[in-house]
Amino acid sequence: MDTNDASTTGRWDGLLLGASLATLDGDGYGEIGDGALAWRDGLLAYVGPRAELPGDPATLADEVIEARGWVTPGLVDCHTHLVFAGDRAREFEMRLQGASYEDIARAGGGIVSTVRAVRAADEAGLLRQSLPRARALLADGATTLEIKSGYGLDFDNERKMLRVARQVGAELGIDVRTTYLAAHALPPEFKDRPDAYIDAVIDWLPRLHGEGLVDAVDAFCEGIGFSPEQTRRVFEAARGLGLPVKLHADQLSDLGGAGLVAEFGGLSADHVEHTSTDSVRAMAASGAVAVLLPGAFHVLRETKLPPLDAFREHGVPMAVATDCNPGTSPLLSMRQAMQLACTHFRLTPEEALRGATVHAARALGLADRGVLRAGMRADFACWDIGHPSELGYWLGGRLATAVHIGGRRLA
């Protein structure tokens, strides 16, 4: 069946005309001038030139929309800690006064301070605080969000976070992918007993997965987090349940985290500033995605760049995400993440856009979105721009004129 033909699929639900399309299907931006984009039952049914439509637009679709500017695939934020309580603005001030990330963490700040706030919040309050952040991301073009746990650090509060993440998706009508990140930091009640805490993390996982709350498993493999051996134990538990893994890898030092992701056939290694060439080769062989998080790089004023040339040389896909979190990346715009990736990491605007769509979807194991192609999900964003490169150019402002998820326009 040719899904680019209304005669074989029936009348379309919607048809957008007039804008240029950046399909990202093939080389370059995949540009189609004076394009047409149609959808039916939540999937794209026609993507091509307006002049090649198989008939009068008024007879082809229930709704015909005249547009201008450009249309891209919806943006995919593949790494967020969006569900949290409170903020850490005071820590931001401390860093500007000279305190390091490690200094703040060892003084009882950092992740553990957000843990206290999350534990004190009830489910309704946590949802109430999290929804505005999700809405901000959607308003700037995001159509899929990943949300991690990791600020509960006990069974009930990790469960609460994952439940709230699911509620964010239900409330906003979007696809939220949940990631279990209980191995994020050592909670106070397990002080000096990290192996015992990993035992607990592994014990909680089957119960949370059984409730349908876990799509993937993550850990923080770092000197101030968990060792490669402890991370391996978490990954083995995930593999036993058939869950994919990803990792906060090689952010502050090279502990071989990205190579561990590759060994387990994981979806992605995230941060990756200190990743070695050997680990890059392993990622290339396994198909893992390198998720670049320029927001944290920017806020922490890091200087060690990820091995970008090695990723390009070995064909490792590079995704871009916000890492939205209260401590090191209070970033509420995928477009701003793209701009920071261009500025700090020297990605081209095309690389940044692919990183926020095609490769970000791959980092979540999703093959049904990220490009504009018939048969894919009808997730797309309309932009008031003259060329797609502007998405990686403008600092701030409002460029999105409409965002559609499964063909449904967000209010």
Side-chain angles (χ1 to χ4, degrees), residues 105-298:
R106 292 193 177 104
I111 293 168
V112 175
S113 66
T114 298
V115 170
R116 289 193 294 269
V118 166
R119 289 181 174 183
D122 63 17
E123 199 166 295
L126 195 56
L127 177 63
R128 186 168 55 252
Q129 292 185 63
S130 301
L131 280 172
R133 293 187 281 269
R135 289 192 175 103
L137 289 166
L138 300 186
D140 211 24
T143 54
T144 301
L145 303 177
E146 185 258 16
I147 301 177
K148 303 178 189 297
S149 67
Y151 294 134
L153 307 188
D154 63 26
F155 177 80
D156 289 339
N157 286 291
E158 287 290 297
R159 181 176 184 266
K160 177 173 67 179
M161 289 190 68
L162 292 165
R163 283 173 53 86
V164 168
R166 289 283 192 234
Q167 290 170 44
V168 168
E171 179 82 13
L172 300 181
I174 63 171
D175 190 4
V176 167
R177 309 299 291 178
T178 56
T179 298
Y180 177 64
L181 182 57
H184 195 198
L186 192 63
E189 58 270 27
F190 281 88
K191 187 176 186 300
D192 298 325
R193 296 187 298 132
D195 288 324
Y197 179 63
I198 293 297
D199 289 341
V201 168
I202 291 169
D203 180 62
W204 303 333
L205 177 56
R207 289 185 279 169
L208 295 170
H209 179 48
E211 293 184 26
L213 295 175
V214 179
D215 295 322
V217 174
D218 195 350
F220 184 31
C221 183
E222 193 54 74
I224 60 171
F226 296 95
S227 70
E229 294 75 17
Q230 291 159 346
T231 301
R232 177 182 294 277
R233 291 177 58 205
V234 175
F235 279 11
E236 287 171 346
R239 182 163 60 186
L241 294 170
L243 286 167
V245 299
K246 54 184 64 184
L247 189 64
H248 287 63
D250 310 334
Q251 179 185 9
L252 305 173
S253 61
D254 181 14
L255 296 183
L260 187 61
V261 168
E263 180 184 337
F264 277 81
L267 293 172
S268 68
D270 302 25
H271 286 290
V272 295
E273 282 90 337
H274 291 263
T275 295
S276 69
T277 302
D278 285 345
S279 289
V280 171
R281 293 192 186 99
M283 290 177 67
S286 73
V289 176
V291 177
L292 306 180
L293 302 174
F297 186 93
H298 176 78

Side-chain angles (χ1 to χ4, degrees), residues 8 199 213 314 336:
T8 62
D199 289 341
L213 295 175
H314 294 283
Q336 185 67 69

Side-chain angles (χ1 to χ4, degrees), residues 379-403:
D379 292 357
F380 57 92
C382 303
W383 307 94
D384 184 16
I385 55 176
H387 189 268
S389 60
E390 292 186 46
L391 297 177
Y393 165 71
W394 288 108
L395 284 161
R398 179 72 182 269
L399 300 184
T401 58
V403 178

Side-chain angles (χ1 to χ4, degrees), residues 43 76 175 177 267 357-371 373-377:
L43 302 178
V76 176
D175 190 4
R177 309 299 291 178
L267 293 172
T357 52
V358 182
H359 301 323
R362 179 171 171 178
L364 295 179
L366 300 173
D368 63 346
R369 67 202 72 185
V371 299
R373 181 193 307 142
M376 302 290 275
R377 276 175 56 104

